[in-house]
Amino acid sequence: GENVEQHPSTLSVQEGDSAVIKCTYSDSASNYFPWYKQELGKRPQLIIDIRSNVGEKKDQRIAVTLNKTAKHFSLHITETQPEDSAVYFCAAALTNFGNEKLTFGTGTRLTIIP
Amino acid sequence: NAGVTQTPKFQVLKTGQSMTLQCAQDMNHEYMSWYRQDPGMGLRLIHYSVGAGITDQGEVPNGYNVSRSTTEDFPLRLLSAAPSQTSVYFCASSYADLGTGGDEQFFGPGTRLTVL
């Protein structure tokens, strides 16, 4: 089955600087890679996702890059703000007719230092 | 729409007790899944369903049963609770759309379960 590794497990960044979180996956057939943000005591919420036919996707201060050959993908947050502090999870899935099962990384706790 | 709802929010059980965690969605999603979240281990898939009457095992299915009699509901049953099942449980749902987009899984608010 799929295995997703995520690094680092914790990350502290000065407000205004950039943060980068990296993930690798094992199953070359996986074609969908979402990133979820989870605030303390809350549910995971999708912040950005990318499909395997795209190398990069950007949404305002958030971007994701995918390298299919190396089987890794990364989350980039620029101009970080205090509200970016949370736990971030990457995930991978093989979606044919939809997405019923995600394999998650172990999470990165991001702390933005004011 | 209420989205994905879960009950109860909190539950304390004694070892050996059984219970059912409820999950419902009002978005007419075909796919539903159950995950457990433990510190340092991310979210792990317990069981999933691709439609009413169809269920399958995920990564950590032992000690749990599911059924999907309707599109809306996907209950998770703990047969005989053990301390190792202390965790936060999340239900999620998503569309079946031929993989052309809209693959987002929507999560419920979670159930925090403690087994003594």
Side-chain angles (χ1 to χ4, degrees), chain A residues 1-101:
Chain A
E2 176 67 279
N3 181 52
V4 177
E5 295 190 355
Q6 182 172 347
H7 299 281
S9 57
T10 61
L11 180 61
S12 294
V13 173
Q14 206 73 33
E15 182 178 353
D17 288 349
S18 296
V20 180
I21 303 170
K22 298 181 179 181
C23 290
T24 60
Y25 62 99
S26 62
D27 188 349
S28 57
S30 290
N31 61 357
Y32 176 65
F33 307 93
W35 286 88
Y36 282 83
K37 176 183 181 181
Q38 187 179 30
E39 296 177 348
L40 188 63
K42 300 291 181 63
R43 73 189 78 188
Q45 293 199 302
L46 183 74
I47 56 171
I48 195 167
D49 56 11
I50 192 168
R51 301 191 62 81
S52 58
N53 58 350
V54 176
E56 183 174 359
K57 184 177 178 181
K58 189 173 182 180
D59 182 4
Q60 299 182 15
R61 297 186 296 109
I62 294 173
V64 57
T65 59
L66 172 65
N67 183 327
K68 284 195 302 181
T69 303
K71 291 189 284 188
H72 68 71
F73 55 113
S74 300
L75 177 71
H76 304 253
I77 306 174
T78 59
E79 301 173 5
T80 53
Q81 301 170 2
E83 53 265 36
D84 294 330
S85 293
V87 179
Y88 292 80
F89 292 96
C90 63
L94 171 60
T95 65
N96 291 316
F97 299 98
N99 174 23
E100 69 273 16
K101 46 182 179 176

Side-chain angles (χ1 to χ4, degrees), chain B residues 44-91:
Chain B
R44 293 180 293 169
L45 183 67
I46 304 171
H47 286 286
Y48 64 96
S49 169
V50 299
I54 306 171
T55 64
D56 206 346
Q57 297 181 350
E59 180 186 354
V60 287
N62 292 342
Y64 308 95
N65 274 356
V66 293
S67 60
R68 185 97 180 271
S69 56
T70 68
T71 300
E72 295 78 20
D73 300 299
F74 191 42
L76 178 72
R77 297 184 186 84
L78 280 70
L79 309 173
S80 177
S84 60
Q85 293 179 304
T86 294
S87 188
V88 180
Y89 291 85
F90 287 99
C91 178

Side-chain angles (χ1 to χ4, degrees), chain B residues 6-12 19-22 89 110-112:
Chain B
Q6 292 183 237
T7 56
K9 291 185 178 181
F10 302 94
Q11 183 70 50
V12 178
M19 79 159 295
T20 299
L21 307 185
Q22 301 292 344
Y89 291 85
T111 294
R112 185 173 296 274

